[in-house]
Amino acid sequence: MTATPSTSVRRVLAAAATVVLAAAVTAADTADPDLFYRGSHPLLRLADRIPPDPGPYGSVVFHHVRRWSVTTTGRPAERPDLTVAVAVDQRRWAAPDGSGRIISRHTTPDERLAAAHLSYRSSDAEFTTTTTTTTVEDLPAGALGGGCTVPWPCPGVSEPARPSLDEAYPARTVDEFTFLHLHFDLPSADRAAALRVLAATGGLTYQVGVVDRLGRPGLGVVLEVPPIRHRLILHPGSGHLLAAEQQLTGPHPHLTGVGPPAVVEYVLLVGQGRRGLVGQPDEPRPSGPGVRAICAPAPTTADTGAADLPPARPPRRASARGPGP
């Protein structure tokens, strides 16, 4: 399969290694003190430092994702037009032929909107209550797309995967970057290419020492598109996406009873990588405050899947150079 990136993307990738973009970097400590330095663009620096992929790899792509959304019950409904927060924990295995399995755990809609708070934290217990609804879908070949179904080169098939640069609508580039990480296990070269395109998006600001809803530290990439503040949280060593957040900065055109600084959409990548078989269980991972980034023990003969994301060192004590996130 071949695909040709657009002229704008080629131009960006050619210039990304030498052009320093005018973007503000929050002056604070980071999990890796050598990751950022004066005069360097943080995303380009991260792209240059991504280590080679470990091996061996299994053939099944695995994603463990949690998503929280603020929405309304709509009409008709027992309680119409009620603003609630809904959450789902989903594990997805996709084989090369597009077959696979999806296990979804849905929580009861929450009128208190607890998940809309900036300080909200997640745990496994949230999705194992007596009111949790679980569904298991075993899907035939082709149901999960199999090969590449997105409008850019397939990861690991032709040229490196990369989101498209949309200069008129920068939030679209942020969304495509998120989509890549939610649907593919990106090799290190593809992650680096995607970071370089993201770096060319206008209006980005950066935060260091931020944490996701599992307490994992990362680099925050922020884009303001009123009334939404988009924030990506990236693993500071591997460049993997840890979380994507949408926070209100003004009145929402369709939601009532909720306003700034509520988080109306949050996607958390709990785990991702390769597995030897569809349905193979998650790798063990630590949990609780100060948790290290997604990690797993070395593969054994019973599990040829590669280890998940490498551990990230916890952030050092904040310096006097500036505030945290």
Side-chain angles (χ1 to χ4, degrees):
M1 174 178 177
T2 60
T4 303
S6 66
T7 301
S8 62
V9 170
R10 290 198 303 269
R11 184 174 65 250
V12 168
L13 293 177
T18 57
V19 175
V20 177
L21 302 177
V25 180
T26 302
D29 258 356
T30 175
D32 185 345
D34 189 44
L35 183 59
F36 304 102
Y37 58 92
R38 190 180 302 276
S40 170
H41 189 289
L43 291 179
L44 299 183
R45 177 66 170 161
L46 175 56
D48 291 342
R49 290 171 55 93
I50 292 178
D53 295 312
Y57 288 109
S59 62
V60 175
V61 174
F62 171 77
H63 287 84
H64 182 184
V65 177
R66 289 176 182 166
R67 184 187 297 269
W68 296 264
S69 304
V70 176
T71 185
T72 64
T73 54
R75 291 175 181 268
E78 182 178 345
R79 300 179 65 185
D81 300 330
L82 179 68
T83 299
V84 295
V86 296
V88 60
D89 175 285
Q90 188 174 88
R91 291 170 171 85
R92 183 177 67 248
W93 295 263
D97 65 354
S99 63
R101 174 177 296 175
I102 300 176
I103 301 177
S104 303
R105 294 181 171 91
H106 297 265
T107 64
T108 303
D110 179 21
E111 300 177 31
R112 300 170 302 161
L113 304 178
H117 290 271
L118 288 171
S119 60
Y120 189 80
R121 292 291 180 265
S122 181
S123 69
D124 293 342
E126 178 182 0
F127 297 93
T128 56
T129 68
T130 56
T131 59
T132 300
T133 302
T134 302
T135 61
V136 179
E137 301 174 83
D138 286 311
L139 303 170
L144 292 176
C148 190
T149 60
V150 291
W152 50 76
C154 291
V157 175
S158 53
E159 299 183 31
R162 55 184 67 102
S164 60
L165 178 65
D166 194 321
E167 298 175 358
Y169 301 98
R172 188 172 299 167
T173 300
V174 173
D175 289 343
E176 290 189 357
F177 182 91
T178 302
F179 181 91
L180 275 176
H181 283 269
L182 289 176
H183 292 83
F184 296 100
D185 177 48
L186 298 177
S188 57
D190 292 1
R191 295 198 305 277
L195 285 169
R196 292 186 177 104
V197 174
L198 183 64
T201 303
L204 297 181
T205 57
Y206 302 90
Q207 301 170 327
V208 292
V210 300
V211 296
D212 66 10
R213 289 188 170 183
L214 288 179
R216 301 173 300 187
L219 165 67
V221 182
V222 180
L223 176 67
E224 301 267 358
V225 184
I228 298 294
R229 175 183 293 122
H230 301 261
R231 182 168 71 170
L232 306 175
I233 302 178
L234 306 178
H235 190 286
S238 69
H240 282 93
L241 179 69
L242 299 178
E245 172 188 277
Q246 294 183 20
Q247 177 192 354
L248 286 180
T249 59
H252 194 282
H254 307 299
L255 296 175
T256 59
V258 62
V263 176
V264 294
E265 187 78 19
Y266 196 102
V267 180
L268 179 73
L269 273 81
V270 182
Q272 63 185 86
R274 298 277 180 152
R275 297 291 184 266
L277 300 170
V278 170
Q280 196 163 48
D282 286 11
E283 299 285 4
R285 62 179 179 82
S287 61
V291 66
R292 291 156 65 88
I294 301 172
C295 60
T300 66
T301 54
D303 177 10
T304 57
D308 286 331
L309 307 188
R313 286 176 285 169
R316 300 185 303 165
R317 184 175 55 190
S319 71
R321 291 179 292 170

